[in-house]
Amino acid sequence: MKFFIQTFGCQMNVNESQKVEALLLGHGLERAETPESSDVLLINTCSVREKPERKVFSFVGRLKAPGRIIGVMGCVAQQYGERMTERERAIDFVIGTQNLHRVPEILETVLRDKSKRVETRFYSPETSLEIFKAPLTSPKVSSYVTIMQGCDRFCSYCIVPFVRGRERSRPSSEVLEEVKALAEKGVKEIILLGQNVNRYGMDRGNDLTFPQLLRKIDSIEKIARVRFVTSHPASLDDETIRLFGELESICESIHLPFQSGSDRVLKMMGRGYSRALYLEKIEKLREIQPEIALSADVMVGFPGETEEDFKETLSLLETVQFDTLFSFRYTPRPMTRAAEYPNQIPEEVKLERLQTLQALQSEITLKMNRLQVGKVKKVLVEKPSKRPDRFMMGRTRDNRVVNFEGPSDLVGREIEVRIIKGYQNSLLGKMEEHHVY
Ligand code: SF4
């Protein structure tokens, strides 16, 4: 029996799909190459942005076929539960965010009893994180390791605490074992995942804190690089910031969402920091690590956002000069406080603000990429590039994509590349002769 997992959403969803895949392979199922050739189709969903259920139902509509078992898991599954099977009869089972470890067992009962199943309950912290014990079957040069799940912050626009639950950290022993096992399989870069990684361990009494965990991972031989997402400006502490200048494995890049440049809007969002505090964190990071590349998330059109507030967001972009920015327009999410706020912003205003902001950031990103020209950068080679023949793709420590001509046996190695051109989303480089690590 062949299965296919279609993943929507964030890196955390990607990692969860990888873990579910490992479980299903362990239960004797095989991977299908395409959704069309699958006997079992699983859809891992995300409900952070608008109307995600529409995306899921249209995907199911296109892929349903006689005899094909279809399961929906993740955030949308958690949010809608049995309403999904009621609305679309082709959906056979629905699995909430804390039930992923049960996928094989639930699939078995669906096949055996020819009945529908909906499982969306929340569990104890340990059981809710059980899925992450499954070892990755085919790890890449750069692999994800989820260290925690859920969030306690309840920002006024965010559905995550409702669909993923409260903060829960994996035991450090388990995380470290997973990193060591990945290192043995040839993984060179680890990306630690959590909704707010800076709060790692806070729920676990005397287990390791996040900076302590980073130190332990740094001491694991063969792991050359460590990154982590997502940090929260109010939780990112000085000890973690200092590690950017201290630990060799910590890459010179950080993703630190700011969401708005206006204190008034930040307050309405319930973000727990001010513009000044955000800028202070950026200053400290650049002081410790002048080469650090900065990326962030920002939202426009939050209820009540005025032109003045929006201008403050633009001015924050000018001040910080982010290397990369992920920008969105606000969309009301069910269960959240902001969905009930008065002064919702008309769609056309949101769109106009988004376009203005993206135009400004495009200029900044291009400028930052062009500033790399002439520099020699260490690049971890990941795979053949999308460019024509003989080109490989890798990443610099400051998280820029570099394409360069080179042999495919460089995958997994760090090499030195001279940057010869900077584009909007990537760099073009030339391998330096003598520097392969
Ligand atoms: S910090 Fe705020 S935006 Fe991020 S996951 Fe938690 S509640 Fe959502």
Side-chain angles (χ1 to χ4, degrees), residues 48 150-162 164 167 194-196 230-233 235 257 259 269-271 297 299:
V48 170
C151 186
D152 286 358
R153 292 207 69 96
F154 290 89
C155 298
S156 65
Y157 55 84
C158 183
I159 196 171
V160 166
F162 302 100
R164 287 203 174 259
E167 279 171 11
Q195 258 83 35
N196 181 359
T230 296
S231 293
H232 188 284
S235 310
Q259 304 300 4
M269 288 176 165
R271 291 287 291 171
D297 294 337
M299 190 185 286

PDB file of all heavy atoms in Angstrom, residues 48 150-162 164 167 194-196 230-233 235 257 259 269-271 297 299, ligand 1:
ATOM      1  N   VAL A  48      -2.732  29.177   9.970  1.00  0.00           N
ATOM      2  CA  VAL A  48      -2.246  30.482  10.400  1.00  0.00           C
ATOM      3  C   VAL A  48      -2.771  31.591   9.488  1.00  0.00           C
ATOM      4  O   VAL A  48      -3.116  32.667   9.939  1.00  0.00           O
ATOM      5  CB  VAL A  48      -0.705  30.494  10.481  1.00  0.00           C
ATOM      6  CG1 VAL A  48      -0.168  31.893  10.683  1.00  0.00           C
ATOM      7  CG2 VAL A  48      -0.250  29.603  11.626  1.00  0.00           C
ATOM      8  N   GLY A 150       3.791  24.346  20.613  1.00  0.00           N
ATOM      9  CA  GLY A 150       2.787  25.148  21.306  1.00  0.00           C
ATOM     10  C   GLY A 150       3.307  26.511  21.717  1.00  0.00           C
ATOM     11  O   GLY A 150       4.486  26.825  21.541  1.00  0.00           O
ATOM     12  N   CYS A 151       2.406  27.325  22.244  1.00  0.00           N
ATOM     13  CA  CYS A 151       2.799  28.681  22.621  1.00  0.00           C
ATOM     14  C   CYS A 151       1.899  29.182  23.735  1.00  0.00           C
ATOM     15  O   CYS A 151       0.706  28.905  23.752  1.00  0.00           O
ATOM     16  CB  CYS A 151       2.696  29.602  21.409  1.00  0.00           C
ATOM     17  SG  CYS A 151       3.327  31.249  21.752  1.00  0.00           S
ATOM     18  N   ASP A 152       2.500  29.927  24.678  1.00  0.00           N
ATOM     19  CA  ASP A 152       1.746  30.489  25.809  1.00  0.00           C
ATOM     20  C   ASP A 152       1.469  31.976  25.647  1.00  0.00           C
ATOM     21  O   ASP A 152       0.918  32.594  26.530  1.00  0.00           O
ATOM     22  CB  ASP A 152       2.538  30.310  27.114  1.00  0.00           C
ATOM     23  CG  ASP A 152       2.516  28.872  27.597  1.00  0.00           C
ATOM     24  OD1 ASP A 152       1.862  28.034  26.953  1.00  0.00           O
ATOM     25  OD2 ASP A 152       3.157  28.587  28.628  1.00  0.00           O
ATOM     26  N   ARG A 153       1.877  32.575  24.549  1.00  0.00           N
ATOM     27  CA  ARG A 153       1.839  34.041  24.478  1.00  0.00           C
ATOM     28  C   ARG A 153       0.467  34.604  24.088  1.00  0.00           C
ATOM     29  O   ARG A 153       0.149  35.729  24.423  1.00  0.00           O
ATOM     30  CB  ARG A 153       2.903  34.555  23.520  1.00  0.00           C
ATOM     31  CG  ARG A 153       4.313  34.345  24.020  1.00  0.00           C
ATOM     32  CD  ARG A 153       5.253  35.377  23.455  1.00  0.00           C
ATOM     33  NE  ARG A 153       4.991  36.687  23.984  1.00  0.00           N
ATOM     34  CZ  ARG A 153       5.634  37.228  25.017  1.00  0.00           C
ATOM     35  NH1 ARG A 153       6.593  36.561  25.604  1.00  0.00           N
ATOM     36  NH2 ARG A 153       5.330  38.432  25.458  1.00  0.00           N
ATOM     37  N   PHE A 154      -0.305  33.874  23.359  1.00  0.00           N
ATOM     38  CA  PHE A 154      -1.657  34.331  22.967  1.00  0.00           C
ATOM     39  C   PHE A 154      -1.656  35.743  22.370  1.00  0.00           C
ATOM     40  O   PHE A 154      -2.387  36.617  22.836  1.00  0.00           O
ATOM     41  CB  PHE A 154      -2.640  34.252  24.146  1.00  0.00           C
ATOM     42  CG  PHE A 154      -2.985  32.837  24.535  1.00  0.00           C
ATOM     43  CD1 PHE A 154      -2.217  32.153  25.469  1.00  0.00           C
ATOM     44  CD2 PHE A 154      -4.058  32.194  23.949  1.00  0.00           C
ATOM     45  CE1 PHE A 154      -2.518  30.848  25.817  1.00  0.00           C
ATOM     46  CE2 PHE A 154      -4.370  30.886  24.295  1.00  0.00           C
ATOM     47  CZ  PHE A 154      -3.604  30.206  25.227  1.00  0.00           C
ATOM     48  N   CYS A 155      -0.841  35.993  21.361  1.00  0.00           N
ATOM     49  CA  CYS A 155      -0.920  37.265  20.635  1.00  0.00           C
ATOM     50  C   CYS A 155      -2.354  37.384  20.115  1.00  0.00           C
ATOM     51  O   CYS A 155      -2.970  36.370  19.756  1.00  0.00           O
ATOM     52  CB  CYS A 155       0.068  37.290  19.469  1.00  0.00           C
ATOM     53  SG  CYS A 155       1.782  37.143  20.016  1.00  0.00           S
ATOM     54  N   SER A 156      -2.867  38.609  20.025  1.00  0.00           N
ATOM     55  CA  SER A 156      -4.315  38.764  19.820  1.00  0.00           C
ATOM     56  C   SER A 156      -4.802  38.274  18.457  1.00  0.00           C
ATOM     57  O   SER A 156      -5.990  38.070  18.262  1.00  0.00           O
ATOM     58  CB  SER A 156      -4.726  40.222  20.021  1.00  0.00           C
ATOM     59  OG  SER A 156      -4.130  41.029  19.032  1.00  0.00           O
ATOM     60  N   TYR A 157      -3.874  38.104  17.486  1.00  0.00           N
ATOM     61  CA  TYR A 157      -4.287  37.705  16.128  1.00  0.00           C
ATOM     62  C   TYR A 157      -4.028  36.232  15.837  1.00  0.00           C
ATOM     63  O   TYR A 157      -4.356  35.743  14.765  1.00  0.00           O
ATOM     64  CB  TYR A 157      -3.509  38.527  15.081  1.00  0.00           C
ATOM     65  CG  TYR A 157      -2.005  38.423  15.266  1.00  0.00           C
ATOM     66  CD1 TYR A 157      -1.302  37.362  14.726  1.00  0.00           C
ATOM     67  CD2 TYR A 157      -1.313  39.362  16.019  1.00  0.00           C
ATOM     68  CE1 TYR A 157       0.061  37.233  14.931  1.00  0.00           C
ATOM     69  CE2 TYR A 157       0.048  39.248  16.225  1.00  0.00           C
ATOM     70  CZ  TYR A 157       0.731  38.191  15.682  1.00  0.00           C
ATOM     71  OH  TYR A 157       2.070  38.060  15.905  1.00  0.00           O
ATOM     72  N   CYS A 158      -3.430  35.498  16.779  1.00  0.00           N
ATOM     73  CA  CYS A 158      -2.829  34.212  16.436  1.00  0.00           C
ATOM     74  C   CYS A 158      -3.632  33.007  16.926  1.00  0.00           C
ATOM     75  O   CYS A 158      -4.038  32.928  18.089  1.00  0.00           O
ATOM     76  CB  CYS A 158      -1.414  34.162  17.007  1.00  0.00           C
ATOM     77  SG  CYS A 158      -0.561  32.642  16.554  1.00  0.00           S
ATOM     78  N   ILE A 159      -3.794  32.063  16.053  1.00  0.00           N
ATOM     79  CA  ILE A 159      -4.608  30.881  16.353  1.00  0.00           C
ATOM     80  C   ILE A 159      -3.762  29.741  16.953  1.00  0.00           C
ATOM     81  O   ILE A 159      -4.303  28.774  17.502  1.00  0.00           O
ATOM     82  CB  ILE A 159      -5.326  30.424  15.049  1.00  0.00           C
ATOM     83  CG1 ILE A 159      -6.465  29.458  15.363  1.00  0.00           C
ATOM     84  CG2 ILE A 159      -4.356  29.823  14.052  1.00  0.00           C
ATOM     85  CD1 ILE A 159      -7.340  29.134  14.166  1.00  0.00           C
ATOM     86  N   VAL A 160      -2.441  29.898  16.872  1.00  0.00           N
ATOM     87  CA  VAL A 160      -1.544  28.789  17.254  1.00  0.00           C
ATOM     88  C   VAL A 160      -1.803  28.222  18.655  1.00  0.00           C
ATOM     89  O   VAL A 160      -1.924  27.000  18.821  1.00  0.00           O
ATOM     90  CB  VAL A 160      -0.058  29.201  17.075  1.00  0.00           C
ATOM     91  CG1 VAL A 160       0.888  28.229  17.778  1.00  0.00           C
ATOM     92  CG2 VAL A 160       0.289  29.260  15.590  1.00  0.00           C
ATOM     93  N   PRO A 161      -1.900  29.055  19.704  1.00  0.00           N
ATOM     94  CA  PRO A 161      -2.104  28.454  21.037  1.00  0.00           C
ATOM     95  C   PRO A 161      -3.374  27.612  21.111  1.00  0.00           C
ATOM     96  O   PRO A 161      -3.462  26.685  21.912  1.00  0.00           O
ATOM     97  CB  PRO A 161      -2.193  29.664  21.961  1.00  0.00           C
ATOM     98  CG  PRO A 161      -1.487  30.757  21.228  1.00  0.00           C
ATOM     99  CD  PRO A 161      -1.757  30.512  19.770  1.00  0.00           C
ATOM    100  N   PHE A 162      -4.378  27.950  20.285  1.00  0.00           N
ATOM    101  CA  PHE A 162      -5.641  27.204  20.328  1.00  0.00           C
ATOM    102  C   PHE A 162      -5.540  25.871  19.594  1.00  0.00           C
ATOM    103  O   PHE A 162      -6.132  24.888  20.017  1.00  0.00           O
ATOM    104  CB  PHE A 162      -6.775  28.045  19.708  1.00  0.00           C
ATOM    105  CG  PHE A 162      -6.958  29.357  20.394  1.00  0.00           C
ATOM    106  CD1 PHE A 162      -6.435  30.527  19.859  1.00  0.00           C
ATOM    107  CD2 PHE A 162      -7.624  29.426  21.614  1.00  0.00           C
ATOM    108  CE1 PHE A 162      -6.582  31.744  20.503  1.00  0.00           C
ATOM    109  CE2 PHE A 162      -7.781  30.638  22.270  1.00  0.00           C
ATOM    110  CZ  PHE A 162      -7.250  31.801  21.717  1.00  0.00           C
ATOM    111  N   ARG A 164      -2.526  24.313  18.629  1.00  0.00           N
ATOM    112  CA  ARG A 164      -1.366  23.487  18.974  1.00  0.00           C
ATOM    113  C   ARG A 164      -1.213  23.271  20.480  1.00  0.00           C
ATOM    114  O   ARG A 164      -0.448  22.422  20.915  1.00  0.00           O
ATOM    115  CB  ARG A 164      -0.091  24.110  18.431  1.00  0.00           C
ATOM    116  CG  ARG A 164       0.024  23.962  16.920  1.00  0.00           C
ATOM    117  CD  ARG A 164       1.456  24.046  16.479  1.00  0.00           C
ATOM    118  NE  ARG A 164       1.598  23.760  15.078  1.00  0.00           N
ATOM    119  CZ  ARG A 164       2.004  22.601  14.583  1.00  0.00           C
ATOM    120  NH1 ARG A 164       2.298  21.602  15.396  1.00  0.00           N
ATOM    121  NH2 ARG A 164       2.113  22.416  13.297  1.00  0.00           N
ATOM    122  N   GLU A 167       2.819  25.607  25.620  1.00  0.00           N
ATOM    123  CA  GLU A 167       4.237  25.277  25.408  1.00  0.00           C
ATOM    124  C   GLU A 167       4.626  23.954  26.055  1.00  0.00           C
ATOM    125  O   GLU A 167       4.359  23.732  27.231  1.00  0.00           O
ATOM    126  CB  GLU A 167       5.116  26.352  26.049  1.00  0.00           C
ATOM    127  CG  GLU A 167       5.285  27.566  25.212  1.00  0.00           C
ATOM    128  CD  GLU A 167       5.982  28.698  25.952  1.00  0.00           C
ATOM    129  OE1 GLU A 167       6.517  28.464  27.055  1.00  0.00           O
ATOM    130  OE2 GLU A 167       5.966  29.809  25.444  1.00  0.00           O
ATOM    131  N   GLY A 194      10.582  25.473  16.911  1.00  0.00           N
ATOM    132  CA  GLY A 194       9.598  25.652  17.986  1.00  0.00           C
ATOM    133  C   GLY A 194       8.901  26.980  17.754  1.00  0.00           C
ATOM    134  O   GLY A 194       9.447  27.841  17.077  1.00  0.00           O
ATOM    135  N   GLN A 195       7.696  27.150  18.318  1.00  0.00           N
ATOM    136  CA  GLN A 195       6.991  28.420  18.099  1.00  0.00           C
ATOM    137  C   GLN A 195       7.733  29.582  18.763  1.00  0.00           C
ATOM    138  O   GLN A 195       7.715  30.688  18.280  1.00  0.00           O
ATOM    139  CB  GLN A 195       5.567  28.347  18.669  1.00  0.00           C
ATOM    140  CG  GLN A 195       4.523  28.130  17.608  1.00  0.00           C
ATOM    141  CD  GLN A 195       4.394  26.670  17.239  1.00  0.00           C
ATOM    142  OE1 GLN A 195       4.549  25.807  18.100  1.00  0.00           O
ATOM    143  NE2 GLN A 195       4.113  26.379  15.994  1.00  0.00           N
ATOM    144  N   ASN A 196       8.378  29.294  19.891  1.00  0.00           N
ATOM    145  CA  ASN A 196       9.164  30.323  20.586  1.00  0.00           C
ATOM    146  C   ASN A 196      10.348  29.607  21.236  1.00  0.00           C
ATOM    147  O   ASN A 196      10.319  29.291  22.424  1.00  0.00           O
ATOM    148  CB  ASN A 196       8.279  31.031  21.629  1.00  0.00           C
ATOM    149  CG  ASN A 196       9.022  32.123  22.362  1.00  0.00           C
ATOM    150  OD1 ASN A 196      10.212  32.358  22.132  1.00  0.00           O
ATOM    151  ND2 ASN A 196       8.318  32.798  23.250  1.00  0.00           N
ATOM    152  N   THR A 230      11.363  29.666  15.814  1.00  0.00           N
ATOM    153  CA  THR A 230      11.350  31.110  15.734  1.00  0.00           C
ATOM    154  C   THR A 230      11.756  31.698  17.075  1.00  0.00           C
ATOM    155  O   THR A 230      11.381  31.154  18.115  1.00  0.00           O
ATOM    156  CB  THR A 230       9.926  31.573  15.370  1.00  0.00           C
ATOM    157  OG1 THR A 230       9.612  31.071  14.073  1.00  0.00           O
ATOM    158  CG2 THR A 230       9.792  33.073  15.331  1.00  0.00           C
ATOM    159  N   SER A 231      12.454  32.829  17.041  1.00  0.00           N
ATOM    160  CA  SER A 231      12.752  33.547  18.279  1.00  0.00           C
ATOM    161  C   SER A 231      11.686  34.605  18.483  1.00  0.00           C
ATOM    162  O   SER A 231      11.123  35.116  17.523  1.00  0.00           O
ATOM    163  CB  SER A 231      14.114  34.236  18.170  1.00  0.00           C
ATOM    164  OG  SER A 231      15.143  33.280  18.093  1.00  0.00           O
ATOM    165  N   HIS A 232      11.432  34.948  19.736  1.00  0.00           N
ATOM    166  CA  HIS A 232      10.473  36.007  20.046  1.00  0.00           C
ATOM    167  C   HIS A 232      11.248  37.158  20.694  1.00  0.00           C
ATOM    168  O   HIS A 232      12.006  36.918  21.638  1.00  0.00           O
ATOM    169  CB  HIS A 232       9.398  35.472  20.994  1.00  0.00           C
ATOM    170  CG  HIS A 232       8.276  36.435  21.197  1.00  0.00           C
ATOM    171  ND1 HIS A 232       8.386  37.552  22.003  1.00  0.00           N
ATOM    172  CD2 HIS A 232       7.034  36.474  20.672  1.00  0.00           C
ATOM    173  CE1 HIS A 232       7.239  38.217  21.966  1.00  0.00           C
ATOM    174  NE2 HIS A 232       6.412  37.589  21.167  1.00  0.00           N
ATOM    175  N   PRO A 233      11.050  38.388  20.207  1.00  0.00           N
ATOM    176  CA  PRO A 233      11.850  39.509  20.724  1.00  0.00           C
ATOM    177  C   PRO A 233      11.792  39.673  22.244  1.00  0.00           C
ATOM    178  O   PRO A 233      12.780  40.079  22.854  1.00  0.00           O
ATOM    179  CB  PRO A 233      11.240  40.732  20.033  1.00  0.00           C
ATOM    180  CG  PRO A 233      10.610  40.190  18.796  1.00  0.00           C
ATOM    181  CD  PRO A 233      10.139  38.809  19.132  1.00  0.00           C
ATOM    182  N   SER A 235      11.458  37.274  24.391  1.00  0.00           N
ATOM    183  CA  SER A 235      12.045  36.112  25.080  1.00  0.00           C
ATOM    184  C   SER A 235      13.519  35.903  24.739  1.00  0.00           C
ATOM    185  O   SER A 235      14.199  35.137  25.423  1.00  0.00           O
ATOM    186  CB  SER A 235      11.283  34.834  24.708  1.00  0.00           C
ATOM    187  OG  SER A 235       9.908  35.000  24.855  1.00  0.00           O
ATOM    188  N   PRO A 257      10.785  37.941  14.292  1.00  0.00           N
ATOM    189  CA  PRO A 257       9.592  38.663  13.824  1.00  0.00           C
ATOM    190  C   PRO A 257       9.347  39.937  14.638  1.00  0.00           C
ATOM    191  O   PRO A 257       9.506  39.919  15.856  1.00  0.00           O
ATOM    192  CB  PRO A 257       8.455  37.666  14.074  1.00  0.00           C
ATOM    193  CG  PRO A 257       9.120  36.331  14.156  1.00  0.00           C
ATOM    194  CD  PRO A 257      10.468  36.578  14.742  1.00  0.00           C
ATOM    195  N   GLN A 259       6.547  42.188  13.455  1.00  0.00           N
ATOM    196  CA  GLN A 259       5.094  42.320  13.171  1.00  0.00           C
ATOM    197  C   GLN A 259       4.625  43.740  12.915  1.00  0.00           C
ATOM    198  O   GLN A 259       3.838  43.972  12.023  1.00  0.00           O
ATOM    199  CB  GLN A 259       4.220  41.678  14.275  1.00  0.00           C
ATOM    200  CG  GLN A 259       4.524  40.218  14.548  1.00  0.00           C
ATOM    201  CD  GLN A 259       4.327  39.298  13.341  1.00  0.00           C
ATOM    202  OE1 GLN A 259       4.032  39.755  12.256  1.00  0.00           O
ATOM    203  NE2 GLN A 259       4.536  38.014  13.518  1.00  0.00           N
ATOM    204  N   MET A 269      -1.677  44.128  19.475  1.00  0.00           N
ATOM    205  CA  MET A 269      -1.367  42.742  19.110  1.00  0.00           C
ATOM    206  C   MET A 269      -1.031  41.897  20.344  1.00  0.00           C
ATOM    207  O   MET A 269      -1.007  40.676  20.264  1.00  0.00           O
ATOM    208  CB  MET A 269      -0.148  42.699  18.175  1.00  0.00           C
ATOM    209  CG  MET A 269      -0.398  43.187  16.766  1.00  0.00           C
ATOM    210  SD  MET A 269       1.169  43.166  15.844  1.00  0.00           S
ATOM    211  CE  MET A 269       0.569  43.328  14.162  1.00  0.00           C
ATOM    212  N   GLY A 270      -0.720  42.581  21.443  1.00  0.00           N
ATOM    213  CA  GLY A 270      -0.315  41.862  22.664  1.00  0.00           C
ATOM    214  C   GLY A 270       1.029  41.180  22.507  1.00  0.00           C
ATOM    215  O   GLY A 270       1.251  40.075  23.017  1.00  0.00           O
ATOM    216  N   ARG A 271       1.953  41.828  21.796  1.00  0.00           N
ATOM    217  CA  ARG A 271       3.235  41.188  21.505  1.00  0.00           C
ATOM    218  C   ARG A 271       4.200  41.199  22.699  1.00  0.00           C
ATOM    219  O   ARG A 271       5.155  40.440  22.726  1.00  0.00           O
ATOM    220  CB  ARG A 271       3.895  41.856  20.294  1.00  0.00           C
ATOM    221  CG  ARG A 271       3.181  41.584  18.997  1.00  0.00           C
ATOM    222  CD  ARG A 271       3.397  40.159  18.519  1.00  0.00           C
ATOM    223  NE  ARG A 271       4.758  39.934  18.092  1.00  0.00           N
ATOM    224  CZ  ARG A 271       5.249  38.717  17.800  1.00  0.00           C
ATOM    225  NH1 ARG A 271       4.492  37.639  17.930  1.00  0.00           N
ATOM    226  NH2 ARG A 271       6.487  38.570  17.412  1.00  0.00           N
ATOM    227  N   ASP A 297       9.206  38.586  10.344  1.00  0.00           N
ATOM    228  CA  ASP A 297       7.828  38.571   9.837  1.00  0.00           C
ATOM    229  C   ASP A 297       7.210  39.926  10.164  1.00  0.00           C
ATOM    230  O   ASP A 297       7.458  40.474  11.248  1.00  0.00           O
ATOM    231  CB  ASP A 297       6.973  37.518  10.545  1.00  0.00           C
ATOM    232  CG  ASP A 297       7.431  36.101  10.264  1.00  0.00           C
ATOM    233  OD1 ASP A 297       8.084  35.882   9.238  1.00  0.00           O
ATOM    234  OD2 ASP A 297       7.137  35.216  11.091  1.00  0.00           O
ATOM    235  N   MET A 299       3.350  42.255   9.619  1.00  0.00           N
ATOM    236  CA  MET A 299       1.943  42.183   9.208  1.00  0.00           C
ATOM    237  C   MET A 299       1.437  43.596   8.947  1.00  0.00           C
ATOM    238  O   MET A 299       1.751  44.493   9.729  1.00  0.00           O
ATOM    239  CB  MET A 299       1.186  41.573  10.393  1.00  0.00           C
ATOM    240  CG  MET A 299      -0.212  41.183  10.124  1.00  0.00           C
ATOM    241  SD  MET A 299      -0.946  40.644  11.673  1.00  0.00           S
ATOM    242  CE  MET A 299      -0.175  39.063  11.906  1.00  0.00           C
TER     243      MET A 299
HETATM  244  S1  SF4 B   1       4.305  34.175  19.847  1.00  0.00           S
HETATM  245 FE1  SF4 B   1       2.325  35.026  19.239  1.00  0.00          FE
HETATM  246  S2  SF4 B   1       2.376  34.860  16.989  1.00  0.00           S
HETATM  247 FE2  SF4 B   1       3.966  33.466  17.728  1.00  0.00          FE
HETATM  248  S3  SF4 B   1       2.953  31.462  17.918  1.00  0.00           S
HETATM  249 FE3  SF4 B   1       2.815  32.459  19.912  1.00  0.00          FE
HETATM  250  S4  SF4 B   1       0.810  33.471  19.929  1.00  0.00           S
HETATM  251 FE4  SF4 B   1       1.328  33.001  17.771  1.00  0.00          FE
END
